[in-house]
Amino acid sequence: MYDLLPIDFLTLLTFLPLLGAVIVFVIPRGRENWARWTALGFSLVVLVMTIAVFYNVQSDPPGPGQWAFEEQAEWFPQLNASWHIGVDGLSATMILLTGILVPLAILISFETKERVQANMALFLFLQTGMLGVFVALDMMVFFVFWEIGLVPMYFLIYLWGGENRRYAANKFFLYTMAGSLGLLLATQLIGLSVESFDIPVMMQAWPNFTGSSGEILGVDASVIKYYALLGFTLAFLIKIPAWPFHTWLPDAHTEAPTGGSMLLAGVLLKLGAYGFLRLAIPLFPTEWIIRRELFSLQYNLVDVLGFLAVLGIVLGALAAWGQNDFKRLVAYSSVNHMGFVVLGLAVAALMYGTVWAEQNNKWGLMGDVAGVERAEATKTKVDEVYPVELRESDRDDARIALNGAVLQMFNHGLSSAGMFLLAGALYHKAHTRDLRRFGGLWDIVPVFGALLIFVSMASLGLPGLNGFVGEFLIVSGSFKAYPVYVFLSLFGLLVTGIYILKGIQKLLHGPYNEEWAEYDRTEHRLEIERREVIALAPLVVLMLITGLYPNWVLDVINSGVVRFLGG
């Protein structure tokens, strides 16, 4: 199937940045340019390899139960853990995004003057961590790379960040580690219960696993599974981050160096959403959709996830509107935009559980979805209340929503990296991010202004640019399942327009700014530099191409979505 590529291509792809990190780190002092260009060279080689992975999945998508570039080797036999890797349409898209953004972040970080070798090495080390998560098909491999990604970002913020970098780095580390504890415990529980940490094996065995006499560790299996799901969910919601687990994000973004902010927003946040798709949803189909009761109020966890998504969309937009720090405004915009991803994930979880219940003849569970009392839920009754035709229509909508969610992950990676690049480019020259000090910069920085408006419109979701496509698919695919949530999220879209226009107005519009004009003439040119334009150009091109012809990436995403939801 992939005869043109080396047999262990993914292993090479995953560890090549780590090899580059070691080489860059040992480059002698005084050879900082060698370190910069060596790091960029390794990242560009990795980019070419990620394009090869994406193209291969595009031309020959793996079928149900198959994985592209799949490799498995013995690694930790005592735990039944193996080096098992492979990709599908969902992971190939995220791998491509990682390949695109890392060389751009390294190029922007050429401005770093202190400890250059360590700085460049950490970017490559971080890339290994991110790629490892996307290729992992074993839970222990997944967890190891999940934690590896935490370490280099912590040091990038701690050593090269702003004035409050230590506080921001520690907060980022502690929040993420807190989530990882639940993830580790749930992983150990599932792996030891089914006697394998292989993700495909776990996906087959764990949903129907009931332990001995319906108990796991002496506790009712349904209770154990509920708390195991909460362990996964908390870890992934913190990483996304969804409201109310987002409070680490503004500080981390504000204090991180520009390249670090680009990768934090562009890729690291996507690890949480990817974790839902690869683990939290397929491992717990029952727990997501089963009806529960709290204070006479009936709910399921999918409803809760959708509610958190809407709160993230609306409150994230309102928080961004209230900011006077340019980077902090962009940081809160990530909470807003990733809220749409979470809404798409909620619809996907609802449909995945529904399809699983139908395929496994769990008609009591289907009754929870259809609104039929569990005691009365038979196939005949469910088909009467929730006909097969309607279920297929809802599955089509869920596929649309999930396609939009994954596309939004990709699009947000492009636009957020572009926004942080522009915010960092201005701060590096003006040494302030206070929007109240700017205004009237259009005549001083016309190229910067034009690029800012373009990237801002992409982030806003202007039709014809990339941001519109993903959000439109999410809204249209989610409407039947959650009409109230969609209407509330549209208010968040309105506020998105307000805070985007606020940022443009505060920076560019108004009377000619004599203070900054004098600074531009006598202190430091404020106009965007050629290196920064080169780093931004690929993002601008991809935003335009994806807005006009999204099928170049949607075909690959859809192949993964169809594997996920069937059809």
Side-chain angles (χ1 to χ4, degrees):
M1 189 172 177
Y2 306 104
D3 295 336
L4 295 177
L5 297 172
I7 193 169
D8 55 350
F9 190 77
L10 280 190
T11 302
L12 178 62
L13 171 65
T14 304
F15 288 107
L16 185 61
L18 181 60
L19 174 62
V22 174
I23 292 173
V24 169
F25 187 73
V26 299
I27 290 177
R29 289 185 180 181
R31 304 289 185 180
E32 280 73 18
N33 277 336
W34 286 19
R36 294 184 179 102
W37 288 104
T38 302
L40 182 62
F42 269 96
S43 67
L44 289 174
V45 172
V46 172
L47 169 59
V48 172
M49 296 175 72
T50 62
I51 293 172
V53 170
F54 183 84
Y55 174 76
N56 233 293
V57 174
Q58 183 182 53
S59 60
D60 191 4
Q66 296 179 327
W67 303 89
F69 302 97
E70 185 175 10
E71 293 293 334
Q72 189 166 14
E74 187 175 270
W75 176 50
F76 205 150
Q78 293 85 350
L79 289 178
N80 290 318
S82 64
W83 174 253
H84 190 188
I85 55 175
V87 297
D88 62 357
L90 305 178
S91 51
T93 306
M94 294 298 100
I95 288 170
L96 177 65
L97 178 64
T98 306
I100 292 169
L101 292 185
V102 171
L104 305 183
I106 289 175
L107 182 59
I108 280 297
S109 300
F110 273 26
E111 64 196 28
T112 300
K113 304 300 182 186
E114 298 179 356
R115 297 184 289 268
V116 173
Q117 286 87 337
N119 183 266
M120 296 291 115
L122 285 172
F123 278 109
L124 292 173
F125 186 27
L126 177 61
Q127 187 173 31
T128 285
M130 297 184 296
L131 290 172
V133 169
F134 294 134
V135 303
L137 291 179
D138 185 278
M139 263 307 303
M140 294 305 293
V141 175
F142 181 96
F143 185 79
V144 167
F145 282 110
W146 177 273
E147 292 301 295
I148 284 176
L150 171 63
V151 176
M153 182 54 69
Y154 170 81
F155 284 110
L156 284 170
I157 299 172
Y158 192 90
L159 296 176
W160 291 276
E163 291 183 6
N164 295 320
R165 60 185 181 274
R166 295 185 178 182
Y167 168 78
N170 289 332
K171 191 174 183 181
F172 162 72
F173 191 88
L174 291 174
Y175 263 74
T176 309
M177 279 297 295
S180 295
L181 291 177
L183 177 62
L184 177 61
L185 289 174
T187 296
Q188 293 287 344
L189 171 69
I190 299 173
L192 296 177
S193 296
V194 303
E195 299 181 345
S196 175
F197 286 93
D198 192 74
I199 291 175
V201 172
M202 294 168 81
M203 288 168 58
Q204 290 293 323
W206 179 250
N208 286 309
F209 185 81
T210 57
S212 176
S213 302
E215 293 185 345
I216 302 174
L217 301 177
V219 181
D220 186 88
S222 62
V223 175
I224 290 291
K225 287 190 171 187
Y226 175 75
Y227 285 104
L229 173 57
L230 291 185
F232 278 95
T233 301
L234 182 62
F236 299 148
L237 288 179
I238 289 173
K239 184 73 85 173
I240 285 177
W243 189 94
F245 309 104
H246 67 286
T247 56
W248 63 268
L249 182 71
D251 294 309
H253 271 315
T254 302
E255 301 304 326
T258 302
S261 290
M262 290 172 64
L263 293 183
L264 181 58
V267 183
L268 281 177
L269 305 190
K270 313 308 180 289
L271 299 184
Y274 180 78
F276 274 102
L277 294 173
R278 187 59 76 225
L279 298 170
I281 295 175
L283 287 175
F284 300 94
T286 299
E287 286 65 36
W288 281 112
I289 63 174
I290 192 170
R291 282 283 160 187
R292 306 174 192 276
E293 188 171 315
L294 181 65
F295 303 122
S296 301
L297 176 67
Q298 287 198 338
Y299 72 98
N300 61 28
L301 291 181
V302 173
D303 297 338
V304 175
L305 186 64
F307 183 64
L308 293 181
V310 174
L311 287 176
I313 293 168
V314 175
L315 298 181
L318 291 171
W321 184 11
Q323 301 306 310
N324 288 311
D325 184 304
F326 190 14
K327 280 189 80 174
R328 210 167 181 86
L329 183 151
V330 179
Y332 275 108
S333 77
S334 289
V335 179
N336 165 243
H337 291 301
M338 290 301 291
F340 282 98
V341 174
V342 178
L343 181 60
L345 293 175
V347 176
L350 175 62
M351 184 48 58
Y352 189 96
T354 303
V355 171
W356 183 88
E358 181 178 8
Q359 291 176 343
N360 289 271
N361 297 316
K362 306 284 187 179
W363 298 109
L365 193 58
M366 283 293 292
D368 284 358
V369 177
V372 178
E373 289 294 330
R374 200 172 298 173
E376 303 173 4
T378 62
K379 184 180 187 303
T380 303
K381 183 67 174 178
V382 170
D383 286 344
E384 177 185 331
V385 176
Y386 190 19
V388 174
E389 296 80 10
L390 182 56
R391 296 203 292 269
E392 282 302 314
S393 174
D394 287 348
R395 192 194 294 200
D396 289 339
D397 288 335
R399 281 195 287 264
I400 292 172
L402 185 53
N403 268 288
V406 180
L407 181 61
Q408 176 72 353
M409 290 162 64
F410 184 83
N411 286 337
H412 178 259
L414 302 178
S415 58
S416 63
M419 288 296 291
F420 277 114
L421 189 157
L422 290 167
L426 183 60
Y427 175 73
H428 182 63
K429 303 170 185 68
H431 306 295
T432 180
R433 298 184 298 266
D434 192 341
L435 294 173
R436 294 166 296 188
R437 290 196 56 196
F438 292 113
L441 294 184
W442 184 264
D443 290 331
I444 303 171
V445 288
V447 178
F448 174 88
L451 291 171
L452 175 64
I453 290 177
F454 182 93
V455 178
S456 296
M457 291 301 103
S459 180
L460 169 67
L462 185 73
L465 298 178
N466 65 324
F468 171 77
V469 186
E471 291 182 358
F472 177 80
L473 290 175
I474 293 169
V475 168
S476 60
S478 304
F479 185 75
K480 279 176 64 178
Y482 293 115
V484 175
Y485 288 172
V486 169
F487 276 122
L488 291 174
S489 70
L490 293 181
F491 173 72
L493 274 179
L494 173 64
V495 181
T496 299
I498 295 174
Y499 73 69
I500 289 291
L501 294 178
K502 171 189 174 178
I504 293 173
Q505 183 258 327
K506 290 285 188 180
L507 283 168
L508 302 177
H509 295 167
Y512 186 72
N513 196 314
E514 294 289 352
E515 176 191 352
W516 287 110
E518 180 65 20
Y519 180 91
D520 182 67
R521 285 192 299 268
T522 61
E523 297 289 336
H524 197 301
R525 287 277 295 162
L526 294 176
E527 183 60 283
I528 190 167
E529 298 173 1
R530 182 173 59 180
R531 171 179 53 84
E532 294 161 342
V533 173
I534 293 172
L536 186 60
L539 301 178
V540 168
V541 171
L542 286 171
M543 290 176 203
L544 182 60
I545 291 175
T546 307
L548 296 176
Y549 183 69
N551 275 1
W552 79 267
V553 64
L554 266 177
D555 283 346
V556 175
I557 294 172
N558 188 59
S559 71
V561 169
V562 169
R563 276 168 45 92
F564 189 80
L565 291 177

